Amino acid sequence: MIRKLDDFDIKILDLLQHDATATMAELSEKTGLSANACWRRIRLLEADGVIKNRVTLLDPQKIGLGITVFVCIRCAEHSQDWLDNFLQIVNESPEVIEFYRLAGDIDYLLKLQVASISEYDRLYKKLVSRVKLTDVSAIFSMEELKHSTILPLPETSDKAKA
């Protein structure tokens, strides 16, 4: 069930998306709610799964993982056993930071963050040796032009009035 967000929820989510280290006092001041009310709302948003996790975002370049690779995969088999095996390999590969099942010509898309082409090649060889695939093609990113973890939220009535 999708939780109905009110203006206070949206304000809290917006603030936390920009800075998850914001204190209850800061959230209280910026939302007009008490610190206890902010805390209770955050707990409800977490319990409802709206807030999935609070993390620290790292700069891949600064930790030696400066190559982003998008891997397009086509497969001939679509059985549950095949998928379970594929999922196991992907889940044991920390280089895979995003994984999608797609509609259209490509069946799966993986986003990898690796240190080198040889690191990608190692993962490629592991993948094709353990999973039957029809086609694997890699697209290497030359430059990241936009990256955001901030999701667009519905406008609050305050924003709508402005």
Side-chain angles (χ1 to χ4, degrees):
M1 176 188 244
I2 296 177
R3 186 182 198 283
K4 174 88 168 107
L5 303 175
D6 67 17
D7 289 353
F8 291 114
D9 292 332
I10 292 167
K11 285 180 187 178
I12 290 168
L13 291 170
D14 186 51
L15 292 166
L16 289 175
Q17 280 194 112
H18 286 86
D19 181 6
T21 65
T23 66
M24 288 304 146
E26 292 168 331
L27 293 173
S28 173
E29 180 182 324
K30 292 177 180 176
T31 61
L33 293 171
S34 71
N36 281 340
C38 287
W39 181 85
R40 280 191 302 275
R41 283 175 176 269
I42 290 170
R43 292 290 175 236
L44 281 172
L45 290 164
E46 288 173 334
D48 290 347
V50 175
I51 296 175
K52 290 171 50 173
N53 206 351
R54 296 191 227 179
V55 300
T56 298
L57 301 176
L58 306 178
D59 183 330
Q61 296 281 341
K62 293 184 179 177
I63 60 168
L65 298 173
I67 298 175
T68 304
V69 187
F70 297 93
V71 181
C72 302
I73 295 177
R74 289 186 181 100
C75 57
E77 188 173 339
H78 297 278
S79 71
Q80 190 61 50
D81 287 341
W82 180 91
L83 180 57
D84 291 344
N85 182 45
F86 189 30
L87 281 169
Q88 179 182 348
I89 295 163
V90 168
N91 286 332
E92 61 189 41
S93 304
E95 306 87 350
V96 179
I97 60 172
E98 294 180 37
F99 180 37
Y100 301 93
R101 186 171 61 89
L102 306 176
D105 292 337
I106 297 169
D107 295 311
Y108 297 94
L109 177 68
L110 285 73
K111 180 180 178 184
L112 314 179
Q113 206 65 52
V114 295
S116 64
I117 301 298
S118 62
E119 187 77 12
Y120 162 72
D121 190 46
R122 182 192 58 72
L123 182 62
Y124 167 82
K125 288 175 182 174
K126 173 183 167 184
L127 192 59
V128 298
S129 72
R130 293 178 56 192
V131 181
K132 185 178 178 186
L133 303 171
T134 303
D135 183 54
V136 178
S137 60
I139 303 165
F140 293 85
S141 172
M142 300 296 291
E143 178 182 17
E144 181 179 271
L145 300 174
K146 180 180 178 181
H147 176 90
S148 179
T149 60
I150 298 171
L151 298 175
L153 295 168
E155 288 191 14
T156 64
S157 55
D158 290 338
K159 288 181 185 176
K161 291 176 188 174

